[in-house]
Amino acid sequence: MNKEILKNQLDLATLVRTQRLQAGPKGGKMTAHTLADLAGVSRDTIFRIERGEDVSFSTAMAVLRVFGLGLSAAPVEWPTLNTAQEHFKTR
């Protein structure tokens, strides 16, 4: 399995949704209700995660554990202010 770099909630949203849609029987999708039951959270919480909304760290970890995933810290390059300004500069 490839390591995913999660920089923000939208990355988490994509990961959870992708995993859920591939985790059902015979590679089919797992319902949000099933994932919620397995993680011990509400179905609405699953939808909030998949929309990229904020959830607690412990909630995110509970959902990731259902898929056998955890977190690992790694250095991430962030754009500098100058780089961002250059990127958005209008000509």
Side-chain angles (χ1 to χ4, degrees):
M1 170 182 270
N2 292 337
K3 289 187 178 184
E4 298 288 332
I5 302 292
L6 304 179
K7 293 182 181 179
N8 55 44
Q9 302 96 302
L10 294 177
D11 292 343
L12 177 64
T14 300
L15 176 63
V16 169
R17 183 160 179 77
T18 299
Q19 290 291 316
R20 182 174 70 79
L21 294 179
Q22 297 173 354
K26 298 181 183 176
K29 77 175 191 173
M30 172 189 291
T31 66
H33 185 268
T34 299
L35 177 55
D37 284 348
L38 293 171
V41 300
S42 71
R43 188 179 64 128
D44 287 341
T45 298
I46 299 302
F47 290 140
R48 285 181 39 235
I49 292 170
E50 290 185 357
R51 286 192 304 263
E53 296 178 12
D54 284 332
V55 295
S56 71
F57 180 78
S58 59
T59 297
M61 291 303 299
V63 172
L64 291 176
R65 273 194 296 275
V66 171
F67 303 118
L69 300 174
L71 294 180
S72 175
V76 177
E77 288 190 32
W78 297 99
T80 64
L81 179 58
N82 289 337
T83 304
Q85 287 172 333
E86 285 296 317
H87 179 76
F88 292 106
K89 185 185 286 186
T90 56
R91 301 195 188 264

